[in-house]
């Protein structure tokens, strides 16, 4: 008979109403056999007690419903962002708050690399640095004999040194405005948007495609997940070529691979072909690689003024944003996915994009009824009560970008949509009140992976300046914890398998150093010791 | 290695971008074209021309290749640059709502590429209705105003309703979508060469070529002034002009895009232009040129 192992913990938060708390959980065959006290598995025969987690508080394994595989792979390069972060190996990286500190860190990286190897930093955000705008002169202090580049956290801009400019042949004559020129007419080193960045990236050998799919990135993704207490994680907008699928099946199939990945295939082009591919992929799913959903991009981002917003638009008078998928295509894709039984994750930042997507889902639902479709609107940052009500009516789930409140809230109030609409951004409370199936997310690597941090953002709605954006939209700790477990699991249609600690579910736990329900410690500061995945302990 | 010319085909859903690309692949242009498309399934290759077909690439017996750009467009273009042998010309089909100018920008930054124009396909019947939709009108206007050549499908290119709808965006040369030979002649590489024959007025259906040897020596400022007066309807111009203070200027014009670069090498000074056919076209170019000489 299979072995029964009972984990003893300081406390177990189950997310089950019938038995919200426990001290022991019994595991057999990677699943939860029983939960309760030390005797919970008494009816089930012999067992062994495992004390390795007796110093910890257990929660259901956290679920990140919106992240990207690149979150792990970026650590191949040196981090120069403003916020403190921890890399997949557990090394803490202090945030960089001055240009000099950044130059020092990049110089350290140069010294670590073989001669001539390009230096590439990532995560930089100029809005946090009061000093002179980063330019090639700063980066020339790092190296003059090899290219040096710093990618901004939004992935739309980078700054490079003189050697990199030279390598790409950029001069005062380069006609593209994205190759920014200074008052002297010479390139400053700042490169805006992909057309300007790509010639440098190409020559530096930096390929975003392999960052999203290589063996190294899949491994790193597992590591960052463990450190965040995450046992199920999405990869929303995956290309999923045949080779990629083989690679992922192989790697996630290894017994010690510590996380379940739920990729969503990028949906572009002919809807019938997208559905064909999704259904073919679904047939290849395993426990640890759940295939079959698709991701649809609709608009851009609010902080980049590319989200599609309804009247009165952006406060600076910027033109309305852009569609990455035309409304007609959104309708066509929605109809075909609904007809074929393919779940969709739909990126909607602006409220016009949310409205058009709900219109499309409504039209599709009339033609091809499917009560369990559970399509998911992703980000939902500007949705108001009426839009959430429509989502609830249509059975459409909403995964809100709570981290934005902290990381970009001040910018939204001052520069994008103004304080009034910023106060109702990511209106988690309203979504819950309207009965929407709700989750919250990080969009890592856009903001750092860490569902407890995301929960903290939703509980406090505090922006970096300290201001609270829309206090009435705050939620309780208990609600927030549900959103990063059962809530996110529900958006992935996995709530029957994961998201709470109950007999029959997967033995996936977050291993914490403190009780997240206790008010003394901020949720974001609750230590994460690691995870249990399928009964296997991964302690960091 | 020679620079890879990039032409972007824009236009809203259903306007006929893929049809145009299918026709361009079929025209006998003698080039090894590479084509990047969104929807691979809609590419229609004559079985006799088909050399091989894989999940994401179709190779033709005439050396052309057609690839799906699923994934990152820029890296897909990078793959084309790395392809050996490098194609003679790259055509990228923008998705229905995309801004073709954004894609074409890569030809302005990437030293191994050359800008070879934006074609925007306009659905002659539906364009006025599409433009009336406030959710998409600004992006559609953007596509038309980015164009160097407007390709009108389903109606004659000078259809009054299309002209009215295009408004300010309609001043670029226009051609019918079924006239792929003209589009190819105007846009693709071979027909316009620096080594043009002496004073020619070669005539092809749909477009005219004009060239002249022994242009005068000109400074950069003089060239810029000259180009600012270039007659409308001239889609492309290529010139090698001697600089009075030594060296040569290499001049490329595609639509609104001008590139003037200094060349230390010497060469045979010459100028060649190509434009849409019209009664006055060649005379207009001639007058323009003589205004300098």
């Amino acid at each position: 008979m299979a072995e029964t192992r009972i984990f003893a913990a300081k406390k177990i938060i189950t997310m089950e109403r019938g038995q919200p708390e426990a001290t022991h959980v019994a595991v057999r065959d990677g699943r939860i056999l029983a939960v309760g006290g030390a005797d919970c598995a008494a009816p089930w025969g012999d067992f062994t007690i495992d004390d390795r987690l007796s110093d910890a508080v257990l929660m259901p394994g956290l679920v990140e419903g919106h992240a990207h595989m690149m979150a792990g792979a970026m650590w191949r390069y040196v981090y120069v962002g403003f916020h403190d972060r921890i890399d997949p190996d557990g090394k803490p990286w202090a945030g960089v708050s001055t240009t000099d500190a950044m130059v020092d860190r990049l110089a350290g990286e140069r010294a670590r690399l073989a001669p001539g190897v390009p230096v590439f930093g990532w995560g930089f955000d100029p809005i946090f640095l009061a000093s002179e705008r980063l330019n090639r002169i700063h980066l020339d202090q790092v190296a003059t004999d090899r290219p040096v580049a710093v990618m901004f956290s939004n992935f739309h801009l980078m700054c490079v040194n003189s050697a990199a400019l030279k390598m790409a042949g950029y001069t005062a004559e380069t006609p593209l405005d994205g190759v920014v020129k200074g008052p002297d007419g010479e390139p400053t080193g700042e490169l805006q948007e992909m057309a300007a960045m790509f010639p440098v990236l190409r020559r530096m050998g930096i390929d975003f495609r392999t960052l999203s799919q290589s063996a190294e990135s899949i491994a790193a993704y597992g590591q960052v997940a463990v450190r965040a207490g995450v046992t199920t994680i999405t990869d929303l907008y995956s290309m999923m070529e045949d080779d990629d699928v083989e690679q992922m099946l192989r790697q996630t199939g290894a017994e010690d691979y510590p996380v379940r990945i739920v990729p969503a295939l990028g949906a572009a082009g002919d809807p019938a072909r997208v559905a064909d591919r999704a259904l073919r992929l679904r047939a290849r799913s395993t426990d640890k690689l759940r295939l079959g959903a698709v991701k649809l991009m609709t608009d851009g981002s609010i902080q980049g003024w590319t989200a599609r917003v309804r009247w009165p638009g952006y406060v600076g008078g910027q033109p309305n944003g852009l569609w990455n998928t035309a409304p007609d295509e959104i309708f066509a894709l929605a109809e075909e996915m609904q007809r074929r039984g393919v779940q969709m994750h739909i990126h909607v930042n602006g409220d016009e994009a949310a409205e058009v997507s709900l219109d499309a889902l409504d039209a599709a639902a009339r033609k091809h009824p499917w009560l369990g479709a559970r399509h998911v609107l992703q980000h939902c940052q500007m949705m108001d009560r009426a839009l959430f009500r429509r989502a609830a009516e249509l059975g459409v789930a909403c995964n809100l970008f709570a981290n934005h409140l902290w990381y970009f809230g001040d910018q939204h109030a001052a520069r994008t949509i103004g304080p009034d609409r910023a106060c109702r951004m990511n209106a988690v409370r309203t979504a819950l009140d309207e009965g929407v199936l709700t989750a919250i997310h990080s969009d890592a690597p856009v903001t750092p992976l860490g569902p407890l941090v995301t929960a903290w953002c939703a509980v406090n709605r505090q922006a970096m300046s300290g201001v609270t954006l829309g206090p009435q939209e705050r939620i309780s700790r208990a609600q927030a914890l549900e959103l990063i477990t059962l809530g996110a699991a529900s958006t992935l249609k996995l709530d029957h398998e994961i998201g709470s600690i109950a007999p029959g579910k997967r033995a996936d736990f977050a291993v914490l150093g403190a009780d997240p329900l206790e008010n003394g410690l901020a949720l974001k500061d609750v230590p994460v010791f690691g995870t249990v995945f399928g009964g296997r302990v991964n302690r960091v | 290695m020679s620079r890879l010319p990039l032409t972007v085909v824009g236009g809203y859903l259903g306007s006929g971008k893929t049809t145009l690309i299918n026709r361009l692949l079929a025209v006998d242009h003698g080039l090894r074209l590479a084509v990047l498309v969104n929807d691979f399934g809609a590419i229609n290759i004559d079985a006799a021309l088909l050399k091989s077909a894989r999940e994401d690439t179709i190779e033709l017996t005439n050396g052309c290749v057609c690839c799906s750009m699923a994934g990152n467009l820029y890296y897909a273009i990078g793959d084309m640059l790395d392809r050996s042998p490098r194609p003679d010309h790259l055509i990228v089909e923008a998705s229905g709502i995309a801004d073709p100018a954004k894609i074409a920008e890569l030809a302005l930054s990437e030293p191994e590429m050359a800008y070879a124009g934006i074609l925007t396909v306009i659905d002659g019947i539906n364009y006025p209705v599409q433009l009336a939709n406030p959710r998409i009108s600004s992006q559609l206007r953007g596509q038309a105003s980015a164009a160097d050549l407007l390709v009108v499908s389903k109606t004659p290119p000078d259809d009054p309703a299309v002209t009215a709808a295009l408004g300010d965006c309609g001043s670029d040369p226009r051609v019918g979508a079924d006239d792929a030979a003209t589009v190819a002649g105007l846009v693709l590489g071979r027909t316009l060469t620096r080594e043009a024959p002496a004073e020619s007025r070669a005539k092809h259906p749909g477009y005219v070529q004009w060239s002249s040897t022994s242009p005068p020596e000109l400074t950069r400022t003089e060239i810029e002034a000259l180009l600012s007066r270039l007659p409308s309807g001239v889609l492309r111009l290529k010139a090698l002009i001697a600089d009075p203070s030594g060296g040569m200027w290499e001049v490329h014009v595609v639509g609104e895009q001008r590139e003037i670069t200094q060349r230390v090498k010497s060469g045979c000074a010459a100028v060649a232009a190509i434009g849409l056919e019209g009664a006055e076209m060649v005379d207009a170019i001639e007058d323009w040129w003589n205004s300098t000489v």
Side-chain angles (χ1 to χ4, degrees), chain A residues 167-170 173-176 179 192-203 206-209 237 239-242 268-270 273 277 280 308 320-329 331 352 355-356 359, chain B residues 12-13 38-42 55-56 69-72 74-79 81-82 86 95-98 102-112 130 133-136 138-139 220 249 257-262:
Chain A
M167 183 177 65
Y170 289 165
E173 313 242 296
T174 304
L176 185 61
V179 179
Q192 299 177 343
E193 298 298 336
M194 207 47 185
M197 299 192 298
F198 181 70
V200 172
L201 291 171
R202 175 169 173 254
R203 287 167 177 79
I206 290 167
D207 189 335
F208 287 148
R209 295 175 299 187
Y237 211 93
M239 292 333 296
M240 284 282 146
E241 306 291 344
D242 288 347
D270 176 31
R273 285 168 57 87
R277 282 192 67 203
R280 269 205 312 274
R308 288 293 302 196
N320 203 349
L322 52 87
W323 296 105
N324 286 304
T325 306
D328 288 343
E329 289 175 292
F331 273 74
E352 189 184 39
E355 184 175 75
V356 166
D359 288 346
Chain B
Y12 193 57
L13 306 168
N38 288 298
D39 183 8
F40 212 53
E55 188 186 20
D56 56 357
M69 66 171 101
N72 189 305
Y74 295 91
Y75 285 98
I77 294 175
D79 289 346
L81 282 168
D82 294 337
R86 185 176 277 180
S95 76
I97 198 71
K102 196 114 181 149
I103 301 169
E105 280 181 350
L106 188 58
L108 305 182
S109 59
E110 173 52 63
E112 293 175 34
Q130 291 162 352
N133 179 351
R135 279 178 171 163
I136 54 173
S138 66
Q139 264 171 288
R220 189 189 182 98
W249 296 109
Q257 189 61 44
R258 279 113 172 82
E259 183 185 296
I260 305 171
T261 34
Q262 196 142 33

Side-chain angles (χ1 to χ4, degrees), chain B residues 229 231-232 234 279-290:
Chain B
R229 301 198 310 272
S232 65
V234 173
E280 317 300 329
M281 191 73 234
V282 171
D283 291 340
I285 300 175
E286 200 80 45
D287 289 348
W288 164 75
W289 183 244
N290 289 332

Side-chain angles (χ1 to χ4, degrees), chain B residues 190-219:
Chain B
R190 281 288 162 80
T191 47
L192 193 63
T193 54
R194 239 190 339 268
E195 297 78 25
E199 214 75 24
S200 74
R201 288 187 174 214
K203 173 97 170 57
H204 296 264
Y207 60 96
V208 289
Q209 287 183 83
W210 169 92
S211 64
S212 168
T213 49
S214 61
E217 294 187 343
L218 295 169
T219 65

